Amino acid sequence: MATVALAAFILLRVGFWLFAPPNPDEAYYWLWGQHLDFSYYDHPPLQSWLQGLITACLGKSLFTLRSLNVITNGIFFYTYYQLLQYLYGDRVKRYIWWIILAIFASPLYSIMLSLAWHDHVAITLTLMGAYLCIRFLDEYLIDGKGSSWRLYGSAIALSLALITKYNSLFMTLGLLVAIATHSQLRKLFRDIRLWLCVVIGAIVFTPVFYWNYSNNFQSFRFYASRSVDSGLPIMRLLEPLGFIGISLLMLSPFVAWLLWKGFKEKLPLQETVYRHIALWTFAVPTFLLIAISLISTALYYWNIHAYLLLFPLLPLALESRPQIKSHRLQVFYGAQVAGLLFTAFFVWNSSVFPVSALFGKDGDQDGRMLFGWSEVASEVQKIANTLPEKPLLITSDYRSAAALAYEMNNLNVTALSKRISQFTLWNLQNAAQQKGKNAIFISDQWYPLTEEAIAHFENIQPISKVAITRFGVYLKTYEIAIAQNYQP
């Protein structure tokens, strides 16, 4: 059962990497890498820097778009191998496959390790940082010193994670709280090496701070005010329940139950602070996000770092007393079945067509936007060839702008939308060059042409429509217009 499930998971993952068209956010972050900067509006820069480097070396293709995922997946699971070997010794050769299967079976990790977003880089770095920190702390408790290289290596990994995605800070906070709440470890706050780690973090974070300083702290302000909701107090009180429920569902209820059971068992390695660290790196981000959900919106995937150190405890649940082992193995196999069904659904939706399209013309607009960009690009190019001068290419949302830019390999495609994005900042930077130019404007039912967008032009004339179908299933229609005399 386990071997078949593992083979199926790997085939689905490779199939997605090789054949699924770029998710609009994948294209968006790829585009950042072609516009190198110290940081960006939505996220810090490291993932996009790496994307830019890979594209510069290997060119543009689906393989290069997701090749970084192949590297981080390898490092991610190798770090788990090292961690399991430290905790369990020779049993690592069996336990590592259980961990891989559990992570593949979790919808949260299945998605985030597959897509060329920031998360796969961030969780790989935070896992590396946490592993090195745990090894240092265990050594520190034994000899009062610990290997400095492990501590500094941990600081570098965690700092790089922070300039990949801001929620990586949760792992660092969890580690610091774990140190502060341990009677023998809290004296580390008097150790100069810990403060040198703070200096390392500050140096690594300098590009992000500089970018924000130069751009009126736009990114920091975005996260400080993101999704603030001043709804009815009773509704706000229900938000934490929604956050917890969706988090459990996306982690996988089967996997979550096994992690809980494993956490309650005893580790064979007695001289380790592992359980203490795992507890606090889970509790700190989880309770912080629950608190945030009372006043704002907390998204389940922001808590992706909280579960990383719980997975190595899962083998304890499966190697428990014989009378309960059989039941827990059944739960583990149930996790594989559920995980495979979810992964197959995800790959189908991403590679073939969204299932929701079988039931109507609305629903899963994100899924529908994955498809049809070659047709749209062909029509846009045909129209552009009829115009006397090269037009601006503008869409009604950042997703469509990124998808079109990737398809046409045109780094100058932009968006006019109510939602502030990196395109908004690029438009401000390029206002002088864009002013007075004519444009081809692409919109759709999800993000139609608005009065605010129309106001930027002297005249807009609809000229074409592109209906998108997949295997005879209608997905959506893009509307293309000629817009004259753009005024930023």
Side-chain angles (χ1 to χ4, degrees):
M1 168 68 182
T3 304
V4 173
L6 181 62
F9 277 125
I10 292 173
L11 284 173
L12 287 167
R13 176 72 57 84
V14 173
F16 172 83
W17 281 339
L18 293 179
F19 301 112
N23 175 283
D25 281 324
E26 288 183 300
Y28 185 44
Y29 304 140
W30 169 85
L31 192 58
W32 293 5
Q34 314 315 303
H35 293 274
L36 290 178
D37 206 340
F38 287 106
S39 192
Y40 302 92
Y41 178 75
D42 310 67
H43 298 296
L46 182 59
Q47 191 267 357
S48 294
W49 288 350
L50 295 173
Q51 279 279 14
L53 176 63
I54 290 172
T55 304
C57 294
L58 301 178
K60 172 184 164 288
S61 69
L62 272 180
F63 171 76
T64 54
L65 179 67
R66 294 170 178 144
S67 58
L68 184 59
N69 291 73
V70 179
I71 297 169
T72 57
N73 273 245
I75 297 172
F76 183 73
F77 289 116
Y78 177 74
T79 304
Y80 267 126
Y81 184 91
Q82 294 295 313
L83 187 47
L84 291 168
Q85 188 173 51
Y86 176 62
L87 294 175
Y88 302 110
D90 291 342
R91 282 175 283 181
V92 62
K93 294 177 182 178
R94 183 167 77 260
Y95 289 177
I96 185 61
W97 301 112
W98 292 353
I99 300 304
I100 292 173
L101 282 167
I103 289 171
F104 278 172
S106 167
L108 172 63
Y109 291 95
S110 178
I111 292 172
M112 296 306 180
L113 288 170
S114 297
L115 289 165
W117 294 353
H118 295 72
D119 304 83
H120 67 102
V121 179
I123 62 175
T124 299
L125 289 167
T126 55
L127 182 63
M128 292 170 61
Y131 166 65
L132 290 170
C133 184
I134 289 165
R135 293 294 303 271
F136 168 79
L137 294 175
D138 283 347
E139 292 173 353
Y140 184 83
L141 289 176
I142 293 171
D143 61 18
K145 295 180 180 179
S147 300
S148 296
W149 73 267
R150 294 190 196 277
L151 180 62
Y152 297 141
S154 174
I156 292 170
L158 293 170
S159 300
L160 290 174
L162 185 57
I163 67 165
T164 303
K165 196 165 183 180
Y166 292 124
N167 68 332
S168 302
L169 180 62
F170 286 137
M171 177 63 82
T172 301
L173 291 177
L175 290 169
L176 289 173
V177 172
I179 292 170
T181 54
H182 193 284
S183 60
Q184 293 175 275
L185 292 177
R186 65 172 63 107
K187 57 186 177 182
L188 268 170
F189 287 103
R190 300 195 297 270
D191 191 318
I192 186 63
R193 292 176 299 174
L194 191 64
W195 296 103
L196 285 175
C197 289
V198 176
V199 174
I200 290 171
I203 292 171
V204 173
F205 197 69
T206 299
V208 179
F209 183 84
Y210 174 77
W211 183 92
N212 274 277
Y213 177 78
S214 303
N215 289 274
N216 198 24
F217 296 97
Q218 289 273 11
S219 187
F220 294 164
R221 289 164 56 197
F222 168 58
Y223 279 93
S225 60
R226 185 176 184 181
S227 303
V228 172
D229 187 348
S230 57
L232 295 173
I234 186 63
M235 297 303 294
R236 297 270 17 117
L237 291 173
L238 294 176
E239 283 291 325
L241 296 178
F243 169 74
I244 294 169
I246 295 174
S247 295
L248 278 172
L249 185 65
M250 294 304 293
L251 176 61
S252 167
F254 300 98
V255 172
W257 186 82
L258 289 170
L259 295 181
W260 167 243
K261 292 299 181 182
F263 181 81
K264 295 195 296 181
E265 301 288 341
K266 290 184 178 180
L267 279 165
L269 181 65
Q270 298 300 316
E271 294 181 351
T272 180
V273 293
Y274 188 87
R275 190 187 305 276
H276 179 76
I277 300 296
L279 170 64
W280 284 108
T281 55
F282 166 75
V284 168
T286 301
F287 285 108
L288 279 175
L289 287 169
I290 288 173
I292 289 171
S293 71
L294 288 168
I295 58 173
S296 182
T297 297
L299 301 175
Y300 70 90
Y301 53 84
W302 292 353
N303 210 28
I304 192 170
H305 302 275
Y307 320 116
L308 291 175
L309 295 183
L310 297 179
F311 278 101
L313 300 176
L314 181 142
L316 298 175
L318 300 180
E319 290 277 71
S320 56
R321 297 177 297 281
Q323 59 269 31
I324 60 175
K325 181 177 179 179
S326 176
H327 171 63
R328 293 182 180 179
L329 281 173
Q330 289 176 2
V331 175
F332 184 65
Y333 294 144
Q336 308 315 305
V337 173
L340 280 171
L341 289 173
F342 174 85
T343 305
F345 179 80
F346 170 71
V347 173
W348 177 279
N349 264 26
S350 302
S351 306
V352 185
F353 59 78
V355 174
S356 64
L358 295 172
F359 305 101
K361 296 184 178 181
D362 299 316
D364 191 12
Q365 293 293 336
D366 276 304
R368 293 167 190 262
M369 189 169 274
L370 291 171
F371 304 100
W373 288 105
S374 61
E375 294 98 313
V376 174
S378 177
E379 183 68 11
V380 167
Q381 189 60 60
K382 185 172 71 174
I383 295 170
N385 291 340
T386 66
L387 300 178
E389 60 181 36
K390 187 176 181 180
L392 300 175
L393 302 182
I394 303 176
T395 79
S396 56
D397 180 61
Y398 85 92
R399 298 174 186 84
S400 53
L404 184 63
Y406 183 88
E407 180 64 35
M408 299 186 73
N409 199 20
N410 185 330
L411 308 185
N412 297 314
V413 178
T414 191
L416 284 180
S417 171
K418 290 182 179 179
R419 173 172 176 163
I420 299 175
S421 68
Q422 185 62 41
F423 287 108
T424 309
L425 304 187
W426 286 334
N427 287 343
L428 291 172
Q429 295 168 9
N430 299 325
Q433 300 97 298
Q434 295 173 343
K435 185 176 182 180
K437 288 184 174 291
N438 296 334
I440 298 176
F441 198 104
I442 303 96
S443 59
D444 63 278
Q445 302 102 312
W446 193 16
Y447 288 98
L449 186 61
T450 63
E451 292 298 326
E452 291 87 345
I454 293 172
H456 284 279
F457 299 95
E458 183 179 304
N459 180 52
I460 289 187
Q461 181 65 43
I463 193 172
S464 179
K465 291 185 178 182
V466 181
I468 305 302
T469 62
R470 291 281 287 179
F471 302 99
V473 178
Y474 172 80
L475 300 184
K476 66 187 303 174
T477 298
Y478 289 95
E479 299 180 357
I480 303 176
I482 298 293
Q484 297 175 332
N485 190 19
Y486 173 65
Q487 299 298 315

